[in-house]
Amino acid sequence: MPNSSTISFAWFITILMLCLVANSQLTTNFYSNSCPNLLTIVRKQVISAVKTEMRMAASLLRLHFHDCFVNGCDASVLLDGSDGEKTALPNNNSARGFEVIDAIKSAVESSCSGVVSCADILAIVARDSVFLSGGPSWKVLLGRRDGLVANQSGANTMLPAPFESVDAITLKFQAVGLNLTDVVSLSGAHTIGQARCASFGNRLFNFSGTNSPDSTLLDPTMVTGLQNLCPVNGDVDKTTPLDWNSTDLFDNHYFQNLINGRGILESDQFLYSSDQAVSTTRSLVEIYSNNSKIFFNDFANSMIKMGNIQPLTGSAGEIRRNCRVVNS
Ligand code: HEM
Ligand SMILES: *[C@@H]1O[C@H](CO)[C@@H](O)[C@H](O)[C@H]1NC(C)=O
Ligand SMILES: *[C@@H]1O[C@H](CO)[C@@H](O)[C@H](O)[C@H]1NC(C)=O
Ligand SMILES: *[C@@H]1O[C@H](CO)[C@@H](O)[C@H](O)[C@H]1NC(C)=O
Ligand SMILES: *[C@@H]1O[C@H](CO)[C@@H](O)[C@H](O)[C@H]1NC(C)=O
Ligand SMILES: *[C@@H]1O[C@H](CO)[C@@H](O)[C@H](O)[C@H]1NC(C)=O
Ligand SMILES: *[C@@H]1O[C@H](CO)[C@@H](O)[C@H](O)[C@H]1NC(C)=O
């Protein structure tokens, strides 16, 4: 007869195994029988979207990030509705590419109906967008299912803001299981895409009666141009590239920019220039700025890690028919 301590040891091992399985349920070949051409179908669609508008690669990459940080990678960001994540502060008038995701979902549905989740489509599309912009590639893990709820307040609290310090942003990454390396490598996504005046206008002018926003960290040759683009009381939806050196190319110029005071977002520049950066992010910025191989390798690893945030698997959630609404 086994005594009670061997029984509880057996339980301990069983539970440990279950935990390990729950953490590694995503696989690269999840659809190899149910939708063998999935990756080809998606790649073709992303190529066509990026051909129409180069910036779309950046917008699609960002969707996967904004999905994963809120309730895990469950396509919650794609749900329409007044209580959706789309109208949360970090996304409203900012997140884009939803029509492209719709088109990709239809193309996937017409080959393999009711099989592929919107959350997995976001993960594949993010990988393709980076690769087609000249960045690294990686094997995408698949098998996520779609969530049943959006979380607007979660989007407002979990997503990092461009006015936050290195420490505050690091805490938000840690809250979803990501570390300092992930903070710096994933910030390198800002080597492509655009930002609105709403996201950095605070750096450009000094307002009396408030703490003066810090424009001193910004390359003085950029300040006038940005002030003209973003005048006080101007259109906050005007945009400028996040990387003025090579706007649409996924390279390590973002990190070189930070060293030269050419980060557009205050939060970007903080990774190199703030006091908090000295013992945390600054050394990685220097490494990536000198060596795009290390950046690409770390970026790919961090993307896989980000894609593993709390996926719904097994029979949790559902496979949405339309990425914008839960199935009725
Ligand atoms: C580290 C903290 C981060 C902050 C504070 C941040 C903030 C922002 C902000 C404010 C914008 C401009 C939005 C606008 O003005 O409409 C932006 C754009 C962008 N972000 Fe981030 N972000 C962060 C991390 C990331 C990560 C982890 C990724 C992806 C891996 C990412 C990918 C992008 C891309 C590609 C764009 C350009 C989107 C476009 O052109 O449509 N960001 N980000
Ligand atoms: C989102 O933006 C629209 C258009 O600018 C605005 O009318 C609306 O109030 C914003 N929604 C939220 C929740 O801030
Ligand atoms: C929304 O997100 C917050 C922050 O992660 C979380 O505490 C809350 O449980 C989420 N709500 C729903 C309905 O998922
Ligand atoms: C972050 O995690 C990765 C593994 O996921 C590890 O290789 C890296 O050293 C960690 N970085 C820090 C700063 O702990
Ligand atoms: C804002 O004020 C600081 C000093 O308080 C100054 O160094 C900086 O040039 C000013 N920025 C602008 C855009 O006027
Ligand atoms: C971009 O950066 C490279 C390498 O630092 C430099 O040679 C080039 O002149 C820069 N181009 C622009 C348009 O700033
Ligand atoms: C990396 O760049 C920094 C600053 O740009 C420089 O001081 C350092 O020597 C470089 N390191 C290597 C290993 O090249």
Side-chain angles (χ1 to χ4, degrees):
M1 281 291 285
N3 65 27
S4 71
S5 79
T6 44
I7 290 174
S8 54
F9 183 71
W11 269 112
F12 171 73
I13 292 296
T14 309
I15 288 163
L16 187 71
M17 298 292 282
L18 284 172
C19 290
L20 290 176
V21 167
N23 265 326
S24 58
Q25 271 176 338
L26 302 183
T27 55
T28 54
N29 62 356
F30 189 81
Y31 298 107
S32 58
N33 293 318
S34 57
C35 194
N37 295 324
L38 174 61
L39 295 180
T40 315
I41 298 167
V42 173
R43 174 63 60 94
K44 227 176 112 188
Q45 294 285 321
V46 180
I47 288 173
S48 127
V50 168
K51 212 183 249 171
T52 306
E53 189 202 12
M54 212 40 223
R55 181 188 173 191
M56 191 49 72
S59 306
L60 294 172
L61 168 60
R62 188 168 182 236
L63 281 183
H64 183 46
F65 159 49
H66 281 205
D67 180 30
C68 292
F69 267 55
V70 183
N71 285 20
C73 310
D74 66 346
S76 56
V77 70
L78 300 179
L79 290 171
D80 281 342
S82 57
D83 58 350
E85 293 168 25
K86 289 175 178 177
T87 48
L89 225 59
N91 290 328
N92 202 24
N93 304 312
S94 180
R96 55 201 295 283
F98 299 109
E99 297 77 15
V100 171
I101 298 297
D102 291 339
I104 297 173
K105 174 69 170 171
S106 321
V108 169
E109 286 295 299
S110 58
S111 281
C112 345
S113 179
V115 173
V116 181
S117 69
C118 300
D120 278 344
I121 288 176
L122 285 176
I124 301 167
V125 161
R127 190 273 309 262
D128 288 357
S129 294
V130 170
F131 178 67
L132 293 170
S133 303
S137 192
W138 56 91
K139 287 205 154 45
V140 188
L141 292 171
L142 300 168
R144 302 168 191 80
R145 290 166 62 85
D146 297 323
L148 305 177
V149 292
N151 189 344
Q152 189 174 98
S153 63
N156 279 318
T157 54
M158 300 296 283
L159 290 168
F163 324 110
E164 288 186 295
S165 67
V166 171
D167 288 353
I169 287 174
T170 303
L171 281 175
K172 290 187 172 178
F173 275 65
Q174 283 170 350
V176 293
L178 301 180
N179 67 20
L180 261 182
T181 309
D182 304 314
V183 170
V184 184
S185 68
L186 292 175
S187 292
H190 292 170
T191 178
I192 54 174
Q194 310 253 337
R196 295 169 306 139
C197 295
S199 303
F200 59 86
N202 66 311
R203 306 182 66 192
L204 303 178
F205 298 97
N206 290 323
F207 300 98
S208 52
T210 64
N211 277 343
S212 47
D214 200 345
S215 61
T216 55
L217 297 180
L218 185 60
D219 176 351
T221 68
M222 293 172 74
V223 172
T224 313
L226 288 173
Q227 284 177 335
N228 289 335
L229 179 75
C230 311
V232 177
N233 297 323
D235 178 359
V236 297
D237 291 330
K238 289 250 181 65
T239 65
T240 195
L242 283 160
D243 172 8
W244 281 20
N245 185 295
S246 52
T247 301
D248 295 320
L249 191 63
F250 195 102
D251 56 19
N252 68 343
H253 288 161
Y254 165 82
F255 298 103
Q256 296 174 10
N257 290 341
L258 297 187
I259 289 171
N260 294 312
R262 297 169 74 86
I264 297 292
L265 305 179
E266 196 169 35
S267 53
D268 288 334
Q269 196 56 53
F270 282 162
L271 295 178
Y272 182 75
S273 304
S274 64
D275 290 342
Q276 289 174 1
V278 174
S279 58
T280 55
T281 49
R282 185 174 188 155
S283 56
L284 265 180
V285 170
E286 285 173 346
I287 290 169
Y288 294 154
S289 77
N290 288 341
N291 192 325
S292 61
K293 241 193 207 144
I294 300 178
F295 165 48
F296 278 16
N297 185 61
D298 284 5
F299 184 84
N301 285 329
S302 295
M303 283 295 290
I304 292 167
K305 249 172 110 174
M306 187 175 83
N308 273 324
I309 299 171
Q310 281 170 39
L312 297 171
T313 55
S315 59
E318 64 180 11
I319 303 300
R320 251 178 246 158
R321 277 188 288 277
N322 171 347
C323 291
R324 293 173 180 268
V325 290
V326 298
N327 299 341
S328 48

